[in-house]
Amino acid sequence: MKIWGALRNATIGWTRLLRGEDGWRERFTLTQAGLATALIIFVATTFLAVAFTSASIGMPSLVGFVAAMFVLALPLTALVVVLLGTRMTLGSDEPALDVMVPATYALTAFVLAEGFLAMLGGPVVMLAWLGLAYLLYGLARAATAWTPAISVGFAVLTVVLLVAMRLALYMLSTAAAGSPI
């Protein structure tokens, strides 16, 4: 099956990337089709995460389900915004797919890890954020010609934007729930 092969290759690619070995790029399909495959895996994972989480309390309404999927897609949104912003600020012509495809697989693992850590309780979730920042830093160093400082900034800004967007949504939903309108 293509999905299982893509997951296997992504795991091998990330292992090689984090070890600093050559050949990690060959494990990812760095094309539009490869990005589409990574996005399908990401969406399927978030769908299963919502379904698994809802198993004990019942499936949410369609609006609730879409809202949950939207919130789980925020890491991807943060990645795209910071990647495009970094490329634009630097005037870089680095191929975006070299970062987007492996990062989408990393975000899939992040969503799973963050969900598991959230079940353990509160501040432990920050470990998932630190792990994501580490992965994004390693990816930026390997996939681009960015300096270590730019790579750290990219990783940190992605995680900060992710957390800020979630906090903003939480504040908006709390304000809307308490609104007399």
Side-chain angles (χ1 to χ4, degrees):
M1 237 185 153
K2 185 175 181 176
I3 298 295
W4 294 116
L7 286 172
R8 181 178 178 279
N9 280 332
T11 303
I12 294 169
W14 267 105
T15 302
R16 287 184 178 175
L17 189 145
L18 293 174
R19 288 181 181 165
E21 297 174 0
D22 292 332
W24 68 267
R25 286 179 194 269
E26 290 77 29
R27 290 299 180 163
F28 296 101
T29 306
L30 301 174
T31 63
Q32 295 289 339
L35 180 60
T37 302
L39 289 172
I40 288 168
I41 292 170
F42 181 82
V43 169
T45 302
T46 57
F47 177 83
L48 291 174
V50 171
F52 179 74
T53 304
S54 303
S56 63
I57 58 173
M59 283 299 273
S61 66
L62 180 60
V63 172
F65 190 81
V66 170
M69 292 288 290
F70 175 75
V71 170
L72 288 175
L74 287 177
L76 196 57
T77 305
L79 173 73
V80 170
V81 168
V82 174
L83 176 61
L84 294 178
T86 303
R87 290 178 73 226
M88 187 173 56
T89 301
L90 295 175
S92 173
D93 60 346
E94 302 276 345
L97 290 175
D98 286 5
V99 174
M100 280 300 300
V101 174
T104 302
Y105 287 106
L107 292 175
T108 302
F110 167 75
V111 166
L112 293 173
E114 186 183 42
F116 176 74
L117 291 173
M119 290 190 300
L120 297 177
V124 180
V125 172
M126 286 187 242
L127 292 174
W129 301 341
L130 291 172
L132 178 62
Y134 176 74
L135 291 176
L136 292 176
Y137 168 76
L139 176 60
R141 291 295 297 143
T144 67
W146 297 343
T147 65
I150 299 289
S151 298
V152 166
F154 165 74
V156 169
L157 282 175
T158 302
V159 173
V160 167
L161 181 59
L162 162 63
V163 174
M165 286 190 303
R166 286 185 176 168
L167 183 60
L169 280 176
Y170 172 74
M171 290 171 21
L172 286 172
S173 66
T174 304
S179 175
I181 296 177

